[in-house]
Structure formats: structure tokens, C-alpha cells
Amino acid sequence: MTNQEEKLRVLFVDDEQFVLDSLRRLMMAEGVNWHTDFCNSASQALQMCREAPYDVVVSDLRMPYMDGARFLCEVKKNWPQSMRVVCSGHVESSSMLASVKAAHRYLVKPCKGSDVKEVIEDLARVKFLLKKESVRKLINRMDHIPVLPDVYLRVMEEIRTDDPSLKRIGGLIAQDVGMSASILRLVNSPFFGLSNEVRQPEQAVTLLGLDTIRSSLLFTHLFQKLDTSCCLGFNVSALWTHCLETAQLARCITDHEGMGQEMEEQCFAAAMLHDMGKLILLSNFPEDYSAILKKSREDNIAIHDCELEHFGVAHCEVGAYLLGLWGMPDYQIRALACHHHPCQEQECTKDALILCIVHVANALDHELRVINPGYAPHPVDTEYLAQMGYTDRYDEWKKICSERLMEVSGG
């Protein structure tokens, strides 16, 4: 369950008593070792939270007096340590989109006890990705990743045309890491009931459809423009370029090795998101991050090492934690968490191979596209390559990635 002696505290909230009784029976049948409380009104649930905050709060959406989205927003505001789950049978787009800002995870009624148990225990594991409680509370409050203002405006302009194109909208969203992460989180949620994981923003936009994409609720609840005034000293566009180039290099390597379309898409998706933790820290701690950047440049220290010294955590864990909260795939979480230090991943699994590709692609993009020769290097972990059995492939990967970058730059 967790690696602490204290039991996980879980609160279930639903205005239908028979639903609560059913959840109680299901949890007993699953043999969960949690402290569980059951409450049939949002107002009473808030009072219970005041008395002792919960690790996980699971709420229905439609309740009288205070609906589930509003209730969970109150939990987010006052008890950010609590992880929040919507459990509802109402899956129409307005109710679902209204809950995007409130919930980390979603369950669709009727759900099996094993489904409830799996989501809650997964959230309990995610908690230990990030040991720093103050940073964890802050990220628990996050409901979006800030997006580049110019990309946001271009998407809005396309949506407002007389004949908007889903293909063009998807292509624009794919240019922004924050938009891509949020749209993939939404389309892969249980509300849409898709049997296969969607990894490409363009595919996500097509599946969601124009009505959902152009909904004011979507843009109010899912996307928020980045306040660029907080980014003094940090080139956000360069960060996005690096993420997208790293994703392209990851795709280049997997294609060269003939690893198949699924592996290619998974490596691309993980690489695209690998540095999103930097944006989270930057947008929430602008003054601190400015000091980190200054120290990194003046003392020639890698940014992730400066982050560790300053915050006690680095962007790797921060990004992985948010993806974990959102229920994104394990291969993405592991790739983000360990992309600077892959030897933390002990087993040579498929997830470890994806991490290996992302790690190499990240290092090669830093090596082959030198923005400032004075910056600290991002060397490839040769021990990990040996562990994965790819020591003899690195020079070949570097060659094909270099050729790819030359083609893009017109060199």
C-alpha cells in the first residue's frame, strides 16, 4: 500500500446512500488496509476534512446544494495534500469538463471494487515519487500546465474561423508541451472509454471532435496561457524546441532500430514531456528559478543539480509526479523521473528501454545543438547503456541523429 505505518485515509462522498453502502461492501471485499469514511453530503464532507485531512477524496459529480466539482475545488484549495478522484455515472461533456480542474483521476460508475482499489493505491504510490511535501502540495493544486501564449492564440484563431480544421488544430497543439500533455490526459481518461492509449495530440483532437475542442469549457478548464513576465532569464520557446527535438530524435532512434510503431510512439510521447517539470517549477517559483538559472550559468552546474540543491527535488521528479497524479502511463512517469539518472531504473523492461531512448535522445540534443558552449554538459550514462546492451549502438545513434538535425536545419 504505502511505505509508512499510518493507514491511508480515504473519504468517499456521494449523496446516494446505497452507492456508499455498495462502496463500503466493495472495499471490504477487496480487503483494503485503509482508514475509510463515507459521507452523503459535500458540506458534511468538508467538515470531516477540517477535522482531519484525507490522503484521497473520492466524490460523485452530481450532488444537491454543492456539486462534486465545486466540492473538490474546495478540497484542492484548503487541503492540497489530498488527492482527488471523481467517481460518476454522468459522462456528458459539460459535467466532465467542469470537473477537469477539480480532479486528478476519474472513475466511471458502475465500477468494480478492484478498479477503485487500483486507482487509490496507484495514487498512494505516486505520493512517494516526490518526498518534499511543500512542493507536493503545490503540484496537487495544479490543474493545468501553462501554455505558450502565441500557440494558444493561434489555436483560438483557428477555432474561430468559419471552417476550422481539426488537423490544423491538432498540429498546433502538438507544438506546445503543456497543451499536448493536457489533451492527452483528457482523451485517455475513463470518461471516453477508449480501449487503446492515445499518444499523439493530433489523434486526440480528432477523437474529441470539434464541438468539445471549441467548447469554452475546454479552454477555461484545460488550458491557461503562461504568464511570460515570470520567465525573465529563461527562454521558454527554447525549452519547447528542445522537448520537441528530443522527441524527434527518440523517434529517429526507434525507427532506425526497427522497434515498431508502438515503441516509436511511446518514446516520442515520453520524450516530448520529459522536461515539463521545469515549466512547473518556473511558473510556480519564478524568483527561485531565476536564482537557479543564474547559479547554473555562473558556476557551470547542470540545472537539475541546482534544482536539487535549492528545492530538494528536481524537475525530473516534479514532472513525473504530476503525470502520476493524472494517471498517465507508467512508461512516461519512469522516463520523466529518471531521464537524467537512468541507472535508478533497475530492470531491463520495456519501460526501461523507453527510458533509455529518451535519456539518449535528450543527451544527444544537448550535445548536437549547443546553445551555449559554457553550459554544463548532459553526458550519456554509459553504464546504463551497457546494462541495457546498447553500448555499441551509441555512435550509430549519434550519427543518424546528427544527420537528422542537419536535414532540419538545412545544413
Side-chain angles (χ1 to χ4, degrees):
M1 184 196 68
T2 72
N3 59 5
Q4 290 185 338
E5 293 183 2
E6 292 185 9
K7 288 186 177 182
L8 194 73
R9 288 175 50 79
V10 183
L11 174 63
F12 292 93
V13 186
D14 197 298
D15 64 306
E16 299 283 357
Q17 187 60 47
F18 78 90
V19 173
L20 294 178
D21 292 341
S22 175
L23 282 167
R24 193 191 304 269
R25 289 192 297 271
L26 288 171
M27 294 304 96
M28 289 180 63
E30 290 294 327
V32 298
N33 186 30
W34 311 331
H35 172 92
T36 53
D37 286 323
F38 300 84
C39 181
N40 61 11
S41 79
S43 58
Q44 182 186 353
L46 290 174
Q47 181 57 43
M48 294 170 70
C49 290
R50 291 185 191 99
E51 294 170 1
Y54 290 85
D55 296 296
V56 182
V57 177
V58 183
S59 176
D60 187 25
L61 272 183
R62 285 191 172 180
M63 297 187 292
Y65 308 114
M66 180 184 289
D67 64 28
R70 183 181 162 200
F71 161 66
L72 289 176
C73 281
E74 286 294 311
V75 174
K76 176 178 73 171
K77 175 183 175 182
N78 295 291
W79 302 282
Q81 64 269 50
S82 299
M83 294 175 280
R84 306 174 301 276
V85 181
V86 160
C87 182
S88 177
H90 303 285
V91 296
E92 65 273 16
S93 61
S94 59
S95 296
M96 184 269 295
L97 288 173
S99 71
V100 166
K101 278 198 168 187
H104 295 125
R105 297 287 187 92
Y106 305 90
L107 287 164
V108 178
K109 296 177 182 176
C111 47
K112 297 183 291 186
S114 57
D115 294 334
V116 179
K117 179 183 179 183
E118 181 181 356
V119 165
I120 293 175
E121 291 196 336
D122 189 41
L123 285 171
R125 287 190 293 271
V126 166
K127 178 178 179 180
F128 295 100
L129 280 172
L130 197 58
K131 304 296 194 297
K132 190 91 170 175
E133 185 176 6
S134 59
V135 180
R136 192 168 65 239
K137 284 183 178 180
L138 183 143
I139 299 175
N140 279 10
R141 280 198 178 108
M142 291 188 67
D143 43 52
H144 64 274
I145 302 171
V147 304
L148 284 176
D150 60 332
V151 177
Y152 180 92
L153 292 174
R154 287 162 65 195
V155 172
M156 291 301 292
E157 287 173 1
E158 178 63 31
I159 286 173
R160 289 168 179 158
T161 62
D162 293 335
D163 185 25
S165 162
L166 285 173
K167 183 177 181 180
R168 285 194 294 270
I169 293 170
L172 288 168
I173 287 176
Q175 295 175 27
D176 184 280
V177 175
M179 277 192 169
S180 296
S182 296
I183 207 81
L184 291 173
R185 170 202 180 192
L186 178 63
V187 78
N188 286 307
S189 72
F191 277 108
F192 289 93
L194 300 177
S195 56
N196 296 316
E197 178 201 350
V198 178
R199 306 182 190 98
Q200 301 295 330
E202 298 92 336
Q203 183 187 5
V205 167
T206 301
L207 290 168
L208 290 173
L210 189 57
D211 288 343
T212 299
I213 291 297
R214 75 193 309 174
S215 165
S216 60
L217 271 171
L218 177 66
F219 280 84
T220 300
H221 293 287
L222 197 63
F223 300 144
Q224 184 169 321
K225 288 183 288 185
L226 176 67
D227 178 7
T228 53
S229 65
C230 77
C231 307
L232 297 178
F234 189 87
N235 189 333
V236 181
S237 295
L239 172 63
W240 261 272
T241 299
H242 165 64
C243 289
L244 295 174
E245 284 295 342
T246 300
Q248 291 291 353
L249 295 187
R251 173 177 283 167
C252 187
I253 293 170
T254 52
D255 180 62
H256 181 75
E257 294 293 327
M259 293 180 177
Q261 183 178 353
E262 181 182 29
M263 177 65 76
E264 182 179 315
E265 290 180 354
Q266 289 177 331
C267 288
F268 184 93
M272 179 178 63
L273 301 176
H274 79 282
D275 265 352
M276 59 180 264
K278 288 184 179 179
L279 187 61
I280 296 169
L281 291 173
L282 170 69
S283 58
N284 286 283
F285 303 101
E287 293 182 2
D288 299 77
Y289 215 77
S290 177
I292 285 172
L293 292 172
K294 183 179 179 182
K295 182 176 179 60
S296 172
R297 290 163 182 166
E298 290 180 351
D299 298 346
N300 194 28
I301 301 172
I303 287 179
H304 66 274
D305 291 330
C306 292
E307 292 167 344
L308 278 171
E309 181 181 336
H310 189 93
F311 292 118
V313 295
H315 66 273
C316 319
E317 301 99 306
V318 168
Y321 178 75
L322 183 59
L323 288 190
L325 274 183
W326 286 357
M328 301 292 263
D330 279 351
Y331 73 84
Q332 293 183 6
I333 296 168
R334 293 182 183 184
L336 265 68
C338 304
H339 71 266
H340 278 293
H341 301 290
C343 275
Q344 294 173 9
E345 186 70 61
Q346 297 298 318
E347 300 179 23
C348 297
T349 61
K350 181 181 178 182
D351 285 355
L353 177 56
I354 293 171
L355 165 61
C356 178
I357 301 298
V358 172
H359 168 69
V360 172
N362 176 55
L364 284 174
D365 189 61
H366 280 292
E367 180 181 349
L368 298 173
R369 288 193 318 115
V370 179
I371 297 174
N372 188 324
Y375 288 176
H378 293 69
V380 166
D381 188 330
T382 53
E383 289 185 16
Y384 188 66
L385 282 183
Q387 177 181 319
M388 294 296 296
Y390 284 108
T391 304
D392 62 340
R393 305 301 296 144
Y394 178 72
D395 288 340
E396 182 70 15
W397 291 351
K398 181 176 178 179
K399 178 176 179 290
I400 61 169
C401 287
S402 178
E403 291 171 352
R404 192 266 170 197
L405 289 172
M406 288 182 68
E407 289 174 6
V408 171
S409 64

